[in-house]
Amino acid sequence: MSFSLRGKIAVIAFGITFLGAMSLGADFIRQPYLGFGDEPGGMVVSWKTDVPVKAVVYYDLADNFSSTGELGLSLEVPAEAADEDSIYHVELKGLEPNTAYSYKVILGDGVESPVGTFWTSSFDLDHFVFTVYGDTRTFPERHRMVVEAMAADRPRFVVHTGDLVENGGVEDQWDSRFFWATAPLIKDAPYLTVLGNHENNAPEYYEAFALPRGGGDYGEEWWSMDYGVVHLVGLDTNALTLPNGFGRMIKQVNWLKQDLAAARNRGARFIFVFFHHPLFSSSAGYYPGNEGLRAVWHPIFVQYGVTAVFSGHCHSYERLVEDGIVYIVTGGGGAPLGGFRSEPVPGSVKRLSALHYIRVTIDGGKAELEMIPVARVEGEKVVPMEHSPWDSLELHSR
Ligand SMILES: [Fe+2]
């Protein structure tokens, strides 16, 4: 009897010690993911832990890693480098242009991330693939299906057209839904995004991502960058609804004109613009698109020869052409799918209600845009579709 009691006490004591040891060890809440950050050519590795903890980012040329299994370069990150939510953003600098690198993050007490592999850009890079999608907020499992399809393309980067989560101010929606769904892709492909209405312009959005510099809140409410011969611009269609909305929108428009003029002067071969609410739409819920923004932005896109514009908000796919500008609505990333008016807007070319993404292939002076279907949704049933292009078009550089 007494032996049995001692045994029980020993088991309980062991359990307490074991749980104590477990709770002391920091772990990832978000596995490492990538962003472009402020410095051209730099790559930002981000992660989130349950408690602040020091870490080391190990990285090396992907070729070295595949031949030796070693990551020879390292960057130490002190525990205090995190923000108050234990989110870390660490920029790797001095990387070779147009080169593949592998990396991993090891936390202070030995917890190790998977190895990711990314490519850097170069000034004149004109052969690469990137992907675009949007409106992922409701069903993480459907979002993950789209993510896995995109990951198979090994895109150089990914752009999201907004409404990433149901409510941008709820940290757990990012942790357990968004970053769970994007994990297979975002460790290898830097993530660019714009604000949807569901992000609510929340600090959690800005804290999550390393975005290029631009303007507005945190200097990242709108942004731009070059990737090889392509100029990328992200805008905020919610600006008018935010505090000092009118002044904010005037700032954004002035910035946009200067940014597009500078890109043209640098000789950008393609200009792609991304924002959430479409200017033109045949969707049942947002017909005929945002006419107020259209009156201001569309003439600017025409004036500066924007190649194509990508939006979301409508949970479907639509391709339109207006005055020579291609408008793609890509909102099929996991939110409940929506339908169309029986009479589409005049510039509408193709429409489909399906989970999907857009694959953009830059090939010298050509850019091929392909709509890749992932699944249909029938009631609650998700029916996978073959990932072969349902719509495609070829655009030429100026
Ligand atoms: Fe939206």
Side-chain angles (χ1 to χ4, degrees):
M1 180 76 184
S2 64
F3 175 80
S4 166
L5 183 61
R6 272 204 305 275
K8 280 179 186 164
I9 290 168
V11 168
I12 292 166
F14 173 77
I16 291 169
T17 310
F18 181 71
L19 286 173
M22 290 281 286
S23 66
L24 285 175
D27 203 352
F28 291 106
I29 299 283
R30 298 175 189 167
Q31 293 283 348
Y33 57 100
L34 299 170
F36 283 120
D38 298 341
E39 182 172 296
M43 186 64 65
V44 177
V45 181
S46 307
W47 64 92
K48 179 178 175 180
T49 50
D50 48 4
V51 291
V53 60
K54 69 177 181 179
V56 182
V57 182
Y58 291 95
Y59 63 106
D60 209 333
L61 299 174
D63 283 349
N64 287 352
F65 177 65
S66 58
S67 58
T68 67
E70 307 272 320
L71 295 166
L73 303 166
S74 63
L75 192 62
E76 290 190 20
V77 184
E80 343 36 288
D83 70 5
E84 60 188 18
D85 294 317
S86 301
I87 298 172
Y88 293 81
H89 299 288
V90 175
E91 187 152 4
L92 306 180
K93 297 179 179 178
L95 304 173
E96 296 289 327
N98 196 26
T99 300
Y101 282 85
S102 295
Y103 76 99
K104 68 180 172 186
V105 178
I106 301 185
L107 301 182
D109 48 5
V111 174
E112 204 165 310
S113 78
V115 173
T117 300
F118 62 81
W119 279 84
T120 58
S121 179
S122 67
F123 172 70
D124 55 356
L125 184 67
D126 63 357
H127 286 81
F128 61 91
V129 171
F130 69 95
T131 60
V132 188
Y133 75 132
D135 294 84
T136 53
R137 60 185 164 87
T138 318
F139 298 107
E141 295 79 10
R142 296 180 193 179
H143 182 186
R144 180 117 170 181
M145 283 179 79
V146 178
V147 157
E148 284 170 355
M150 283 194 286
D153 283 351
R154 299 307 313 262
R156 288 293 189 100
F157 59 89
V158 182
V159 192
H160 195 295
T161 56
D163 282 1
L164 300 93
V165 292
E166 203 70 35
N167 182 347
V170 179
E171 188 75 356
D172 185 55
Q173 291 196 3
W174 294 102
D175 292 339
S176 65
R177 297 166 72 90
F178 177 84
F179 282 101
W180 171 79
T182 53
L185 175 69
I186 202 167
K187 73 179 174 58
D188 303 315
Y191 211 73
L192 288 164
T193 181
V194 293
L195 286 153
N197 44 304
H198 279 268
E199 276 66 71
N200 295 317
N201 201 39
E204 287 81 355
Y205 166 88
Y206 295 99
E207 285 158 12
F209 299 106
L211 292 170
R213 294 296 293 177
D217 286 347
Y218 303 87
E220 293 180 351
E221 190 183 336
W222 51 85
W223 51 259
S224 72
M225 63 174 280
D226 288 340
Y227 193 95
V229 299
V230 172
H231 186 61
L232 307 161
V233 182
L235 300 177
D236 180 19
T237 50
N238 306 282
L240 272 175
T241 66
L242 299 176
N244 189 25
F246 193 66
R248 193 184 285 255
M249 186 55 91
I250 286 175
K251 261 193 204 160
Q252 182 172 216
V253 168
N254 289 337
W255 173 90
L256 174 64
K257 287 179 184 166
Q258 283 181 0
D259 181 79
L260 293 179
R264 277 275 159 251
N265 287 338
R266 282 198 303 280
R269 277 195 239 162
F270 301 96
I271 299 177
F272 296 117
V273 180
F274 307 88
F275 51 80
H276 186 61
H277 298 85
L279 305 191
F280 304 91
S281 169
S282 306
S283 73
Y286 201 62
Y287 184 97
N290 193 314
E291 294 173 285
L293 286 175
R294 181 196 303 174
V296 181
W297 288 2
H298 178 64
I300 298 173
F301 299 156
V302 173
Q303 182 185 347
Y304 292 99
V306 165
T307 315
V309 174
F310 298 85
S311 304
H313 194 59
C314 306
H315 303 164
S316 52
Y317 169 76
E318 184 167 16
R319 167 157 68 100
L320 310 100
V321 184
E322 300 286 346
D323 303 312
I325 310 286
V326 171
Y327 283 90
I328 303 286
V329 183
T330 175
L337 293 174
F340 299 95
R341 288 265 186 109
S342 53
E343 193 66 30
V345 293
S348 184
V349 182
K350 295 272 247 178
R351 298 165 297 285
L352 186 71
S353 189
L355 298 177
H356 74 279
Y357 68 95
I358 312 295
R359 178 197 295 148
V360 182
T361 305
I362 304 297
D363 180 13
K366 286 184 310 185
E368 187 176 31
L369 273 54
E370 297 169 297
M371 184 280 216
I372 309 297
V374 174
R376 294 180 282 122
V377 178
E378 295 168 357
E380 293 298 297
K381 206 169 140 210
V382 177
V383 184
M385 295 170 78
E386 203 180 311
H387 301 169
S388 51
W390 182 84
D391 184 24
S392 63
L393 76 156
E394 197 174 286
L395 299 168
H396 295 268
S397 63
R398 300 226 163 199

